Amino acid sequence: MEETPNKNGRSNLTLRIQGDEHRYSLYRFSQEYKPLMEKLSIGDAVTIYYNASNSTSMNYEVYQINTSRGVVYSKSEHENREQLAGRYIAIPGGILVFVGGYYDIRKRYKKLNDRQVVKVS
């Protein structure tokens, strides 16, 4: 197990299993990997659930880790991370759409008021 920096200046926890050339990585927003590392020891039998479709060829994204003592990293913690990332994208996007719509409506309303009415008799 080791903390490895990612391209965003944050870090992931990377696990390597003896006899397997793949790396298994997980990310915590809090960047607190020490409690997780204390629950795992070299030689533990683990079951790692990962998503191969969201992973690079040699680095798998982990969404749950089980040991004989129980769940060490849960799927719900992984899903919370995904939901948080979605919020970081959706909230600014919603604000931009609202602001853009407001200015567009304001511009159209101003055009309507600037028209001169001419009566033809």
Side-chain angles (χ1 to χ4, degrees):
M1 291 179 288
E2 64 181 347
E3 283 189 54
T4 53
N6 62 24
K7 57 188 167 208
N8 301 329
R10 311 272 295 168
S11 63
N12 295 332
L13 179 64
T14 301
L15 305 164
R16 293 181 188 223
I17 298 176
Q18 187 176 2
D20 188 354
E21 72 272 2
H22 296 100
R23 292 181 307 248
Y24 300 89
S25 296
L26 61 97
Y27 174 81
R28 279 186 164 169
F29 185 75
S30 66
Q31 297 288 285
E32 294 179 18
Y33 298 110
K34 201 165 222 126
L36 186 61
M37 293 170 93
E38 290 171 355
K39 292 179 183 177
L40 294 170
S41 302
I42 294 176
D44 283 350
V46 296
T47 303
I48 297 177
Y49 298 92
Y50 61 91
N51 189 347
S53 64
N54 284 352
S55 305
T56 60
S57 61
M58 296 299 286
N59 196 19
Y60 291 131
E61 179 184 1
V62 173
Y63 63 87
Q64 184 163 324
I65 300 174
N66 295 351
T67 67
S68 59
R69 295 179 301 278
V71 177
V72 175
Y73 178 73
S74 68
K75 183 177 180 185
S76 63
E77 183 179 349
H78 176 76
E79 288 172 345
N80 287 342
R81 181 197 80 153
E82 296 294 323
Q83 290 172 351
L84 184 63
R87 289 182 191 122
Y88 279 129
I89 294 169
I91 291 172
I95 291 170
L96 286 174
V97 168
F98 177 76
V99 169
Y102 172 77
Y103 282 108
D104 185 54
I105 290 170
R106 194 170 149 199
K107 184 173 105 181
R108 289 176 189 215
Y109 184 73
K110 188 176 180 187
K111 271 187 179 179
L112 286 174
N113 286 338
D114 288 345
R115 290 184 184 169
Q116 292 181 355
V117 178
V118 178
K119 288 187 178 181
V120 179
S121 40

